[in-house]
């Protein structure tokens, strides 16, 4: 058997450094004892939690609650690319929160601008919708990209820019900066031609990748909203449920729904809902967590469905600086192999819940199978919260979803 959980059993590391098979009660007991000891000696700031874009919305919501209220840390993040939080802030500031485009909107669009990313390889359903919009509805497709795209064959205008030049090109299109020398790799007048064509269109959908982030998304939104008609936006990320993880606040400085941790009203809302105080200082993002592991400032690391050892090229000596590492996983990854405790988690096919696509549309998961010996991340989180002294009134993913919606 080479599928999920094939080599993964409930495990704990012995004094010899080898992992041995354990029971769920024994493994969870080790987790609780070690966490309590580390927090007592070093404080909650010495604990960090890394989540996943492969877990459900309900699990991500509970993971955030566990980190902030049970462990008392805002050192919480997941490996992410697309900057959904900045898009939400930009559209909220512009009072244009109705300008998110759906998958169906792309199919019906008359004008589409792609900035960065490669939908054909990274978002094939969106690429299919784009092609169908061009073929069936005569939509005009415009590309602004530093790489060659297969969609170029359907494009009315395609502008190639130097590597990582998309943000500079947007500023130039908005008229805030003259195009930098060498920005456009083809005809220097291509940007002007693109601007003129877009100002003759109506109701353009702007689809952008992680080449546009932070303040540059604000610039893109301001410029996009100046175009004729009802411009709408789609932010693209490279992983399955990145949008859902971001929506659920799996980041160090925002709460669920992209509410700022620095906003007293937002904190008060969740403190009332969760009946516990939340630390006000933003925590470490995922790169800072890795730096904290290497420096020894992070003493305990909980990893849910992620493989930071491979993602960030951590060395064995880096992980040895941790006092405790717990991993929930489907496979014996490099991170799981180095863990003090490994908890085998179920795959998406073995649990119920919801995920959110890159356009912000929520989709249901239905459990179709279950392998003996595994637990869902939701079950693991509920067990950890209970053993750490917090009784949560959730019986299933449906209970969590009702709280999220409310």
């Amino acid at each position: 058997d080479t599928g999920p959980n094939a080599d993964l059993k409930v495990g704990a590391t012995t004094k010899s450094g080898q992992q041995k098979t354990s029971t769920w009660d024994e493994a969870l007991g080790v987790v609780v004892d070690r966490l309590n000891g580390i927090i007592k000696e070093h404080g909650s700031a010495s604990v960090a939690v890394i989540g996943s874009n492969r877990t459900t919305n309900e699990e991500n919501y509970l993971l955030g609650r566990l980190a902030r209220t049970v462990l008392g840390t805002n050192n919480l993040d997941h490996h992410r690319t697309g900057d959904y939080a900045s898009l939400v802030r930009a559209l909220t500031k512009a009072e244009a929160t109705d300008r998110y485009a759906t998958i169906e909107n792309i199919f019906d669009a008359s004008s589409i601008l792609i900035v960065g990313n490669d939908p054909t390889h990274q978002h094939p359903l969106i690429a299919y919708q784009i092609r169908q919009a061009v073929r069936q509805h005569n939509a005009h497709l415009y590309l602004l990209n530093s790489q060659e795209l297969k969609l170029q064959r359907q494009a009315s205008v395609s502008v190639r820019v130097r590597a990582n030049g998309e943000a500079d090109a947007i500023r130039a299109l908005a008229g805030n900066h003259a195009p930098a020398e060498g920005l456009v790799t083809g005809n220097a007048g291509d940007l002007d031609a693109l601007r003129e064509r877009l100002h003759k269109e109506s109701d353009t959908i702007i689809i952008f990748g992680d080449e546009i982030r932070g303040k540059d998304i604000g610039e893109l939104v301001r410029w996009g909203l100046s175009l004729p008609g009802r411009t709408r936006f789609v932010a693209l990320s490279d992983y399955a449920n990145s949008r859902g993880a971001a929506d659920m606040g799996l980041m160090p400085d925002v709460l669920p729904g992209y509410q700022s941790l620095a906003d007293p009203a937002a904190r008060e809302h969740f403190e009332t809902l969760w009946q516990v105080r939340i630390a006000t200082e933003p925590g470490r993002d995922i790169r800072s967590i890795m730096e904290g592991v290497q420096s020894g400032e992070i003493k305990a690391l909980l990893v849910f469905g992620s493989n930071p050892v491979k993602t960030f090229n951590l060395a064995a000596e880096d992980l040895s600086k941790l006092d405790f590492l717990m991993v929930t996983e489907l496979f014996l990854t490099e991170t799981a192999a180095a863990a003090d405790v490994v908890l085998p988690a179920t795959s998406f096919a073995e649990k119920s819940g919801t995920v959110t696509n890159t356009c912000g549309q929520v989709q249901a998961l239905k459990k179709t199978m279950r392998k003996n010996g595994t637990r869902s991340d939701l079950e693991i989180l509920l067990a950890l919260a209970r053993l750490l002294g917090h009784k949560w009134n959730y019986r299933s993913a449906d209970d969590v979803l009702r709280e999220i919606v409310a």
Side-chain angles (χ1 to χ4, degrees):
D1 183 1
T2 58
N5 317 122
D7 302 315
L8 206 55
K9 300 181 183 299
V10 183
T13 300
T14 65
K15 290 182 179 179
S16 65
Q18 300 297 313
Q19 289 177 351
K20 70 170 185 176
T21 301
S22 177
T23 67
W24 275 98
D25 287 343
E26 289 171 340
L28 290 172
V30 171
V31 175
V32 170
D33 289 344
R34 297 291 294 276
L35 286 175
N36 280 333
I38 289 169
I39 291 173
K40 182 177 180 180
E41 182 176 355
H42 301 286
S44 294
S46 68
V47 180
V49 179
I50 295 177
S52 173
N53 39 55
R54 294 192 279 114
T55 45
T56 67
N57 293 332
E58 294 78 10
E59 290 166 340
N60 289 331
Y61 177 84
L62 289 188
L63 181 56
R65 180 174 180 179
L66 180 85
R68 298 187 199 281
T69 67
V70 178
L71 302 177
T73 182
N74 288 321
N75 297 330
L76 170 69
D77 207 350
H78 67 285
H79 187 222
R80 50 196 162 100
T81 54
D83 191 353
Y84 297 110
S86 291
L87 177 61
V88 170
R89 283 194 291 267
L91 288 176
T92 301
K93 183 177 181 180
E95 299 182 352
T97 54
D98 60 342
R99 299 298 185 91
Y100 299 99
T102 66
I103 293 285
E104 294 78 12
N105 294 151
I106 296 171
F107 175 75
D108 294 324
S110 61
S111 172
I112 301 169
L113 169 64
I114 298 176
V115 183
N117 202 273
D118 184 355
T120 301
H121 294 101
Q122 295 170 301
H123 294 271
L125 177 57
I126 286 180
Y128 174 80
Q129 295 291 76
I130 291 169
R131 289 194 298 270
Q132 293 307 305
V134 173
R135 291 168 182 169
Q136 297 188 32
H137 299 150
N138 296 315
H140 295 154
L141 175 63
Y142 303 98
L143 304 180
L144 178 60
N145 213 300
S146 58
Q147 57 184 314
E148 186 174 348
L149 304 184
K150 194 173 181 180
L151 284 169
Q152 190 166 338
R153 292 180 296 183
Q154 284 83 34
S156 298
V157 176
S158 177
V159 179
R160 288 283 300 277
V161 296
R162 57 170 167 74
N164 302 313
E166 288 88 351
D168 289 336
I170 290 299
R171 287 190 285 270
L173 281 174
N176 295 333
H177 297 279
E181 184 177 352
L183 173 62
V184 178
T185 60
N187 187 337
D190 286 349
L191 272 180
D192 293 331
L194 177 61
R195 183 191 299 110
E196 291 175 10
R197 286 291 298 269
L198 286 168
H199 275 280
K200 294 177 181 178
E201 296 287 358
S202 178
D203 304 328
T204 299
I205 292 179
I206 298 177
I207 302 172
F208 63 94
D210 68 338
E211 294 85 350
I212 309 295
R213 303 183 61 84
K215 294 180 180 178
D216 293 326
I217 291 180
E219 190 74 54
L220 175 65
V221 167
R222 285 190 294 273
W223 170 72
L225 293 176
S226 72
L227 297 175
R230 189 169 179 270
T231 307
R232 286 167 290 182
F233 301 85
V234 175
L236 298 179
S237 189
D238 295 338
Y239 303 103
N241 196 31
S242 283
R243 177 64 183 266
D247 287 352
M248 295 303 106
L250 216 61
M251 293 182 284
D253 57 347
V254 297
L255 296 163
Y258 301 98
Q259 299 187 62
S260 173
L261 185 66
D263 182 357
R267 285 201 312 276
E268 182 180 0
H269 170 78
F270 284 100
E271 287 174 346
T272 301
L273 179 65
W274 293 338
Q275 298 183 333
V276 68
R277 297 298 297 272
I278 300 172
T280 60
E281 288 295 320
R284 294 173 177 263
D285 64 18
I286 194 165
R287 295 189 179 279
S288 181
I289 289 172
M290 293 301 100
E291 292 169 359
V293 170
Q294 292 171 319
S295 68
E297 296 173 280
I298 296 297
K299 303 295 183 181
L301 181 64
L302 277 60
V303 180
F304 288 77
S306 185
N307 189 11
V309 170
K310 182 176 181 180
T311 302
F312 296 96
N313 297 316
L314 290 182
E317 54 266 28
D318 294 326
L319 291 179
S320 67
K321 298 176 183 177
L322 285 168
D323 289 349
F324 182 66
L325 172 62
M326 185 210 81
V327 174
T328 71
E329 250 299 348
L330 278 76
F331 302 96
L332 191 61
T333 63
E334 292 86 347
T335 306
D340 296 293
V341 173
V342 180
L343 304 177
T346 57
S347 68
F348 74 93
E350 301 172 272
K351 55 189 171 186
S352 298
T354 61
V355 295
T356 306
N357 70 21
T358 198
C359 293
Q361 297 164 280
V362 178
Q363 302 165 322
L365 291 177
K366 297 296 182 183
K367 183 166 65 174
T368 59
M369 59 179 289
R370 187 63 178 265
K371 180 172 180 177
N372 290 335
T374 63
R375 295 185 184 182
S376 68
D377 289 274
L378 186 140
E379 292 169 322
I380 293 170
L381 289 164
L382 291 177
L384 285 175
R386 175 177 53 81
L387 293 170
L388 286 164
H390 291 251
K391 181 177 174 57
W392 290 349
N393 295 320
Y394 306 113
R395 293 166 297 176
S396 67
D398 289 340
D399 290 339
V400 184
L401 182 60
R402 278 190 285 270
E403 181 169 302
I404 293 170
V405 173

